[in-house]
Amino acid sequence: MSAGKLHTTPTQPTGLRIRAVAAQGNVQIDTDDTWEFGVTNQSPEWLSKFPYGKVPTFETASGLNLYETIAIARYIASLSNNSLLGKTPEETALVDQWVSFGDTELLPNGSFIRYMLNGKYPYNKPIDYYYRERNTRSLKYLDSHLSTRTYLVSERITLADISVASVLRVQCSWLLGPEERAAIPNVIRFFETIANQPAIKAVWGDITYIDKAPQYVPPAKPKKEAAPAAAAPKPKPAKKEAEADDEEDEPLVPEEPKAKNPLDDLPKSNFNLEQWKREYSNRDTRGAGGSLEWFYQNFDKEGFSLWKCKFKYNDELTLTFMSSNQIGGFFNRLEASRKYLFGSMGVLGEANNSIIAGAFIARGPDYKPVIDVAPDWESYDFEPINLENEADKAYFEAALAWDLEIDGKKWADGKNSQPTSFLSTSSPRSFTMSAGKLYTTATQSQGLRIQAVAAFGGVQLERVESFESGVTNKSADYLAKFPFGKYPGLETPSGLNLSETIAIARYVASLAKNSLLLGSTPEEEAQVDQWVSFGDTEIFSNNRIIHGLLSGNVPYNKVIDNFYRDRNARALKFLNSHLDTRTYLVSERITLADISVASVLRSLFSAGVGAEERAGAPNAVRFYETIANQPAIKAVWGDITYIDKAPQYVPPAKPKKEKEPAPAAQPKPKPAKKEAAADDDDDEPLVPEEPKAKNPLDDLPKSNFNLEQWKREYSNRDTRGAGGSLEWFYQNFDKEGFSLWKCKFKYNEELTLTFMSSNQIGGFFNRLEASRKYLFGSMGVLGENNNSIIAGAFVARGPDYKPVIDVAPDWESYDFEPINLENEADKAYFEAALAWDLEIDGKKWADGKN
């Protein structure tokens, strides 16, 4: 019997992926031979089943209508007897990880490049090379993983293999030329192994490779129309990223460097507070083998102190759930002291007749240095607990066991401070097994999503508080566990190391027994997967690109910005319509889908869309507030934050401020530009930039040549010819304020493959990041594999190249020679380097970077 009908075109890659899964899994599905893209998916009948209009889609035999490739493929794989989803929960998590890797680290890179080359997006050289470098890095990592493996997860084919191979099939057929493929032999061997499986080959056909990687070809030259350059859009100057890792995942707003806390200077204690928190979570509180028994065996009364804590203004308390939220807020405001304290606080009594009381374990002999980080700490009274005193001891134990009673008022609700977040429940704590350690920052939105899933599902999860973006994830220890360097990363008690947010969240949800976070039936589970994928592909990814454009991670382009804002608006409108008659996305209770989509909306509403856009999506806002205000989730995410107005692109501040001569009045460096309230949506620069000290080049006499404007003219015009960027350059160049330099690599005999040499140039430019505002460079690889050189030209602020260039540790690997524009040979060299047609000793320009 057929599992259902797949709606797709015969050539759509994602449709072919689903058909390959069905074929390999021996699951019968039907296809609609009359289906026509742009016609069928716009018809009223089709839209009544699939209102978003997205393809491929799947109509199940039971009448369920599914879209989102990941969800459909996973549902079909679940119907197979071939273990396509893995044989154990750990294998299943790894399958999810690799499916997500293919769709977040390979598929979007290729799509973005393709859209620029085919004209869907305006072409931009820096953006093109940015995504090619990301793709190369992902393929190199995949090649390393496959160096000792036939398949990605186990000793047999899984959904992960088919999904990643389907992405490689597309890239090999149009993006990866022989040179690129030669650098990833294990990837190619893996792809051919999967694609040549008889069942899959019957769907995909013969393997197709291209002879050369595609490059941008400018449209036929209507040059005269390009002359009014003033009308051209002004993208932000191409900003070369520090070698990006992802992301996917790191905080968009780098965290402030943390000042050293005086509590760290106290004598070392043998009492491990974090271990205590784990023991408290995993054991019953009282009785033999309970957490209190462990506490008394290990507590260090010299290094820690115990305190009763009681709210001063109990007469102001009303409903108990509101009082419980107040405790959660207090714990949130104690966030900066989490590593120095443990608290157990509760609401005792009933509505309009209650008190707040509990107990704290604090590092050091006094509570104040630990507690006064919370602005409202003085609203609470603190009294020392002496464990030699039976009454004090009974109070302490009751506060931890959540059975404290004061003046006839019994414990009604409580909260604890935990290693990962402040968890709450209105009934006695019930945690399942530990999911392990989560490596993420305190603010990364993907990390907060995973922590919310754990908190809501009652799964213990320990966030590694020492984790620092750009430091921890670059360390040898971290890379040994997570070789791609991406975070969040989960280290499970069984030794499984997981990356990819979707995979980690799904794995954690699977540990929440009886929570039904993944749905109660295979059909519900498929819908959960569908909505998780929708949130990440239709909202999160759009917002991520917009943020990249606005923050300078990706050179700004207005057309691309508007394209993704329109996509976001359409997705939000569809989500709003779906929620018109629903509280939750899938069923009558909260699932992983709700938490995942709400986490995406949290990022969007706090940093991406303003009041006007939210007013157009009242159901989506109501849904988000419903999820975000669930006590367990609110304890992780904190209070809801909205912005008034959607952020817009602001061009870099004009260097006019330097006009104000008063050196004495301006000894300080320019204040840092205030960033739009960014949550970590999630493609932040992986290495936060260092605070910039004043550069002596800023003290040079002001120049009328605007280097940033030159970069824009160079990006938006042809290089040579009337109205070209060189014409603008010669009209505006200031030879007193700037100098020109030939730049040539000293050790060309060490160069091998041209694409690797091109990556070397990219690395050199990345290391020149600190001098970006003082230079412009155009460098290229000339020649062919194993017979090439690196050469180019620089425009540098001031009369000498060295103050600009020596910020790069490897600058001495290059020779610099001044360019004199009065010399015809020098001028021809300069123009050819900028036009990317430089030729030296018969070696022609093969690839370049600006």
Side-chain angles (χ1 to χ4, degrees):
M1 171 179 173
S2 172
K5 182 182 283 188
L6 180 69
H7 302 274
T8 181
T9 66
T11 58
Q12 187 188 24
T14 45
L16 288 169
R17 178 197 302 189
I18 294 165
R19 290 170 57 196
V21 172
Q24 184 68 21
N26 294 315
V27 177
Q28 183 190 341
I29 61 171
D30 299 324
T31 54
D32 184 354
D33 295 331
T34 65
W35 200 92
E36 189 179 350
F37 182 75
V39 177
T40 312
N41 61 318
Q42 302 298 324
S43 67
E45 181 190 1
W46 199 83
L47 289 170
S48 68
K49 298 175 185 174
F50 307 101
Y52 197 52
K54 190 174 182 179
V55 288
T57 56
F58 190 66
E59 237 178 313
T60 71
S62 63
L64 173 67
N65 296 321
L66 273 181
Y67 57 95
E68 294 294 333
T69 302
I70 289 177
I72 299 170
R74 207 178 193 287
Y75 174 72
I76 290 173
S78 73
L79 303 178
S80 169
N81 294 322
N82 288 356
S83 303
L84 288 176
L85 294 176
K87 290 185 173 180
T88 66
E90 289 74 20
E91 278 192 5
T92 300
L94 287 170
V95 168
D96 290 333
Q97 170 186 286
W98 284 106
V99 170
S100 178
F101 176 87
D103 283 2
T104 61
E105 295 297 331
L106 291 173
L107 184 62
N109 296 333
S111 298
F112 214 107
I113 295 164
R114 188 168 209 159
Y115 290 160
M116 281 196 298
L117 298 187
N118 68 17
K120 185 170 184 178
Y121 298 162
Y123 183 74
N124 183 295
K125 244 188 299 193
I127 297 179
D128 182 358
Y129 282 96
Y130 169 78
Y131 280 102
R132 287 183 195 254
E133 284 177 4
R134 279 180 64 112
N135 206 51
T136 298
R137 180 173 178 271
S138 298
L139 288 170
K140 185 178 176 184
Y141 168 66
L142 181 61
D143 192 70
S144 172
H145 178 78
L146 288 165
S147 63
T148 58
R149 297 171 175 89
T150 304
Y151 306 119
L152 289 168
V153 174
S154 63
E155 295 307 312
R156 58 187 299 155
I157 291 177
T158 65
L159 174 63
D161 301 298
I162 301 171
S163 295
V164 172
S166 77
V167 178
L168 293 172
R169 175 179 173 271
V170 176
Q171 291 209 357
C172 287
S173 68
W174 80 270
L175 180 62
L176 305 176
E179 189 176 315
E180 291 80 10
R181 296 195 302 271
I184 49 170
N186 302 313
V187 170
I188 299 304
R189 181 253 306 153
F190 160 78
F191 164 57
E192 292 177 348
T193 299
I194 305 304
N196 283 318
Q197 296 296 310
I200 295 175
K201 186 170 183 176
V203 175
W204 289 356
D206 292 333
I207 292 171
T208 304
Y209 290 126
I210 54 170
D211 295 331
K212 192 174 180 187
Q215 300 296 330
Y216 176 64
V217 178
K221 305 181 178 184
K223 258 187 187 172
K224 303 288 182 196
E225 263 133 271
K234 297 182 177 181
K236 198 171 180 177
K239 197 172 182 182
K240 294 282 179 196
E241 276 214 82
E243 196 172 357
D245 147 25
D246 218 318
E247 358 110 139
E248 167 118 316
D249 6 269
E250 302 75 22
L252 296 175
V253 183
E255 295 179 77
E256 293 290 328
K258 291 175 186 168
K260 186 171 175 63
N261 193 305
L263 293 166
D264 292 333
D265 292 327
L266 290 173
K268 185 168 174 54
S269 171
N270 290 325
F271 179 67
N272 186 326
L273 187 63
E274 295 306 308
Q275 183 63 34
W276 154 247
K277 293 175 184 178
R278 289 190 284 275
E279 299 298 329
Y280 179 76
S281 290
N282 291 328
R283 305 183 185 207
D284 288 338
T285 308
R286 300 184 185 274
S291 60
L292 279 169
E293 178 178 298
W294 186 94
F295 178 85
Y296 290 131
Q297 290 169 355
N298 292 275
F299 183 60
D300 167 23
K301 64 181 181 181
E302 302 302 326
F304 290 80
S305 52
L306 307 178
W307 300 88
K308 294 179 183 176
C309 175
K310 297 178 181 177
F311 186 54
K312 291 180 179 178
Y313 312 111
N314 292 310
D315 51 314
E316 296 176 2
L317 302 179
T318 55
L319 301 179
T320 55
F321 86 89
M322 294 174 68
S323 304
S324 181
N325 288 345
Q326 178 180 312
I327 298 172
F330 182 43
F331 278 157
N332 285 337
R333 292 182 287 278
L334 287 169
E335 171 69 16
S337 284
R338 183 191 293 169
K339 65 185 279 193
Y340 310 110
L341 65 79
F342 169 81
S344 182
M345 297 282 290
V347 184
L348 285 64
E350 55 192 13
N352 302 310
N353 182 26
S354 64
I355 63 173
I356 291 175
F360 276 90
I361 303 170
R363 184 73 168 102
D366 189 14
Y367 70 90
K368 191 174 175 185
V370 181
I371 300 292
D372 69 0
V373 297
D376 53 341
W377 72 276
E378 292 181 294
S379 297
Y380 295 81
D381 280 323
F382 290 83
E383 181 183 340
I385 293 174
N386 176 7
L387 292 178
E388 305 296 319
N389 179 299
E390 285 303 314
D392 278 7
K393 185 176 182 181
Y395 177 100
F396 175 70
E397 293 183 353
L400 268 61
W402 288 19
D403 55 18
L404 182 64
E405 183 174 342
I406 298 176
D407 298 333
K409 294 182 175 69
K410 295 185 177 179
W411 191 281
D413 196 6
K415 294 189 186 291
N416 297 119
S417 55
Q418 291 293 325
T420 55
S421 59
F422 298 106
L423 305 181
S424 125
T425 176
S426 55
S427 57
R429 295 174 301 106
S430 175
F431 294 98
T432 69
M433 63 180 284
S434 169
K437 294 180 181 178
L438 185 69
Y439 293 84
T440 180
T441 65
T443 57
Q444 188 198 19
S445 68
Q446 298 103 316
L448 288 170
R449 177 197 303 191
I450 294 163
Q451 291 175 73
V453 172
F456 191 82
V459 177
Q460 187 199 348
L461 184 65
E462 176 190 353
R463 182 173 75 80
V464 178
E465 296 185 32
S466 60
F467 183 90
E468 188 178 349
S469 173
V471 178
T472 311
N473 60 313
K474 303 290 187 187
S475 69
D477 182 52
Y478 187 86
L479 292 172
K481 298 170 185 171
F482 307 98
F484 197 51
K486 190 174 182 179
Y487 66 92
L490 179 71
E491 187 180 2
T492 72
S494 66
L496 171 69
N497 296 319
L498 270 183
S499 55
E500 297 295 331
T501 301
I502 289 178
I504 298 171
R506 206 178 197 289
Y507 175 71
V508 171
S510 74
L511 301 179
K513 304 304 180 190
N514 303 318
S515 70
L516 301 181
L517 279 173
L518 295 175
S520 58
T521 65
E523 288 74 21
E524 276 193 6
E525 189 170 344
Q527 288 179 290
V528 168
D529 290 334
Q530 168 186 284
W531 282 106
V532 170
S533 179
F534 175 88
D536 281 1
T537 61
E538 295 298 325
I539 300 176
F540 175 79
S541 60
N542 297 334
N543 204 41
R544 178 178 180 172
I545 292 171
I546 295 166
H547 176 84
L549 292 165
L550 300 187
S551 66
N553 289 347
V554 179
Y556 184 74
N557 185 291
K558 188 172 181 59
V559 176
I560 295 176
D561 184 0
N562 288 340
F563 175 81
Y564 281 100
R565 287 180 194 262
D566 289 346
R567 279 178 62 113
N568 241 359
R570 178 172 175 265
L572 198 55
K573 182 178 178 183
F574 172 69
L575 177 64
N576 189 69
S577 171
H578 177 79
L579 289 165
D580 195 31
T581 57
R582 298 172 175 89
T583 304
Y584 306 120
L585 290 169
V586 175
S587 63
E588 294 308 311
R589 59 187 298 158
I590 291 176
T591 64
L592 174 63
D594 301 296
I595 300 172
S596 294
V597 172
S599 80
V600 172
L601 293 176
R602 176 178 176 270
S603 300
L604 184 69
F605 291 160
S606 65
V609 301
E612 185 177 336
E613 293 85 358
R614 293 194 304 274
N619 301 319
V621 173
R622 180 254 305 155
F623 161 79
Y624 164 57
E625 292 179 347
T626 299
I627 305 304
N629 282 319
Q630 297 296 311
I633 295 175
K634 185 170 183 176
V636 176
W637 291 354
D639 294 332
I640 289 171
T641 304
Y642 292 127
I643 54 172
D644 294 331
K645 196 167 179 190
Q648 302 296 326
Y649 174 64
V650 178
K654 304 201 168 166
K656 267 190 181 159
K657 301 250 178 196
E658 297 175 22
K659 223 174 198 179
E660 303 171 33
Q666 259 190 340
K668 295 183 182 175
K670 261 203 271 193
K673 260 194 290 185
K674 195 164 187 175
E675 294 199 30
D679 82 344
D680 330 350
D681 253 15
D682 297 339
D683 218 7
E684 310 80 39
L686 300 175
V687 184
E689 294 181 73
E690 297 286 329
K692 290 172 188 164
K694 184 170 175 64
N695 192 303
L697 294 166
D698 293 333
D699 292 329
L700 290 173
K702 181 166 174 57
S703 172
N704 290 325
F705 180 66
N706 186 325
L707 186 63
E708 298 306 312
Q709 184 62 34
W710 156 245
K711 293 175 184 178
R712 289 190 283 274
E713 299 298 335
Y714 179 78
S715 290
N716 290 328
R717 304 184 185 208
D718 286 341
T719 308
R720 300 183 185 274
S725 60
L726 279 169
E727 179 178 286
W728 185 95
F729 180 86
Y730 290 134
Q731 290 169 355
N732 292 275
F733 182 61
D734 167 22
K735 64 181 180 181
E736 303 301 327
F738 290 80
S739 53
L740 307 178
W741 300 88
K742 294 179 184 177
C743 175
K744 296 178 181 178
F745 185 53
K746 291 181 180 178
Y747 310 112
N748 292 310
E749 70 277 5
E750 297 177 0
L751 303 180
T752 54
L753 301 180
T754 56
F755 88 94
M756 294 174 69
S757 304
S758 181
N759 288 345
Q760 177 179 312
I761 298 172
F764 182 43
F765 280 167
N766 284 339
R767 292 182 287 278
L768 288 169
E769 173 72 19
S771 284
R772 182 192 297 160
K773 65 183 277 194
Y774 309 111
L775 65 79
F776 168 82
S778 182
M779 296 283 289
V781 184
L782 284 63
E784 57 192 10
N785 289 343
N786 303 309
N787 183 27
S788 64
I789 63 173
I790 291 175
F794 277 91
V795 181
R797 184 72 168 106
D800 188 16
Y801 69 90
K802 191 174 175 184
V804 182
I805 300 292
D806 70 359
V807 297
D810 55 339
W811 71 276
E812 291 181 293
S813 298
Y814 296 83
D815 279 324
F816 290 84
E817 182 185 337
I819 292 174
N820 175 9
L821 292 178
E822 304 297 321
N823 178 300
E824 284 304 316
D826 279 7
K827 186 176 182 181
Y829 177 99
F830 176 69
E831 292 182 353
L834 268 61
W836 287 21
D837 54 20
L838 180 64
E839 184 174 342
I840 297 176
D841 297 333
K843 294 182 174 68
K844 294 185 178 180
W845 190 282
D847 196 7
K849 294 188 185 296
N850 296 119

